[in-house]
Amino acid sequence: RPGLSDFPDDPEAAAKTLLPLLDVAKQELGNYKHAWSTFPVYVKATAGMRELPEKKRDGIVEAVRALLASNETCPFDFANKEQARVIAGEEEAAY
């Protein structure tokens, strides 16, 4: 907590909630720093995001994509915008 959907009126703040998670990934993969750019990163948002109005949901997803696409904030592979998206309930159930 907080999750992405906790910031419906501030997409950039929502995206920044991922920074601590990226920091954990950097720590865990510290011995592989030379290869960070080859490790893909995915964000699959779930029920909380599905409940938001479409415009707010889209704004958050776009802010997340911008954060992950920036080499300044994310050293990992984010080559395809579909790596960050809101997933359907059926897909969520598979996890």
Side-chain angles (χ1 to χ4, degrees), residues 6-88:
D6 291 323
F7 299 90
D9 297 315
D10 192 348
E12 286 75 24
K16 287 180 182 176
T17 65
L18 299 176
L19 292 175
L21 298 174
L22 291 171
D23 287 341
V24 169
K26 290 176 195 175
Q27 289 175 351
E28 292 296 318
L29 298 168
N31 291 337
Y32 303 97
K33 187 174 184 177
H34 63 280
W36 280 353
S37 64
T38 67
F39 289 97
V41 61
Y42 294 86
V43 173
K44 295 187 177 189
T46 56
M49 286 286 286
R50 286 194 302 271
E51 293 176 359
L52 291 178
E54 184 177 3
K55 185 175 181 179
K56 292 181 184 279
R57 181 176 60 235
D58 291 348
I60 292 171
V61 170
E62 287 305 316
V64 166
R65 288 172 175 165
L67 181 129
L68 296 176
S70 170
N71 290 331
E72 291 180 21
T73 53
C74 180
F76 304 107
D77 175 40
F78 186 75
N80 182 329
K81 70 178 186 172
E82 290 302 307
Q83 287 174 235
R85 62 188 177 86
V86 179
I87 61 173

